[in-house]
Amino acid sequence: MFDLPTQCAVCRGWSAQRICADCVQRHAACKPRCVGCAIGVPAGVQRCGACITSPLPFAHVVAAVDYGFPWSGLVTALKFHAALDLSHGLADLLADAVRASDAPLPQLVLPVPLGPDRQAERGMNQAWELARRVAARLQLRSHAGLLTRRVETPH
């Protein structure tokens, strides 16, 4: 089996992946992050000041990238324009970030569910598309239906 070349979603150069290795290296450099909220912190710092004084209810948080250029545009394309071709590259970034973190691997990967109206509007749950791919890359179990959204929330 062979892969046909495609255009990188960031730089528009030809690549074997939808997000080329050069763009990942340029825009997704690994950096120290707070284990409580994933904001960037200086090297050697585990928690930011806000998470020390008011910890979030999570044992550990992992983020692959900051929500800014080019990632915010790619996430928007996946969420609102059904750009499922981007889910593979984004899942690779997330799985690599989990592997690079000190966090223990979870037993199960669950997506944040969409309400029925939003699911019908989008035609898919982008969180599930990412969750199942991240789980596969990390050889973990995933499940789409264990959580439910009880309240429809605005965009």
Side-chain angles (χ1 to χ4, degrees):
M1 183 173 173
F2 61 94
D3 290 322
L4 296 174
T6 186
Q7 275 192 312
C8 172
V10 179
C11 71
R12 305 291 184 218
W14 289 101
S15 173
Q17 277 81 39
R18 204 56 184 100
I19 305 169
C20 74
D22 287 342
C23 285
V24 168
Q25 184 177 4
R26 184 177 309 116
H27 300 292
C30 187
K31 70 179 189 179
R33 295 181 178 276
C34 171
V35 298
C37 69
I39 194 169
V41 293
V45 173
Q46 288 288 310
R47 290 191 182 271
C48 70
C51 287
I52 290 172
T53 59
S54 300
L56 295 171
F58 308 111
H60 198 106
V61 175
V62 175
V65 295
D66 290 326
Y67 190 70
F69 177 83
W71 312 112
S72 56
L74 300 183
V75 169
T76 297
L78 174 62
K79 267 179 94 167
F80 300 112
H81 304 294
L84 289 173
D85 56 322
L86 298 173
S87 63
H88 299 282
L90 295 172
D92 288 341
L93 289 171
L94 285 167
D96 289 346
V98 170
R99 283 188 203 101
S101 77
D102 293 333
L105 288 178
Q107 294 178 12
L108 184 63
V109 179
L110 303 173
V112 174
L114 287 175
D117 293 345
R118 192 68 38 81
Q119 178 89 26
E121 178 185 318
R122 292 189 187 157
M124 53 108 184
N125 180 348
Q126 71 285 343
W128 171 239
E129 296 302 326
L130 287 174
R132 68 189 184 97
R133 287 171 173 84
V134 169
R137 284 156 176 77
L138 297 173
Q139 299 180 341
L140 299 170
R141 295 182 317 127
S142 61
H143 196 290
L146 290 180
L147 300 175
T148 58
R149 180 173 292 266
R150 296 178 48 191
V151 177
E152 286 281 349
T153 54
H155 287 285

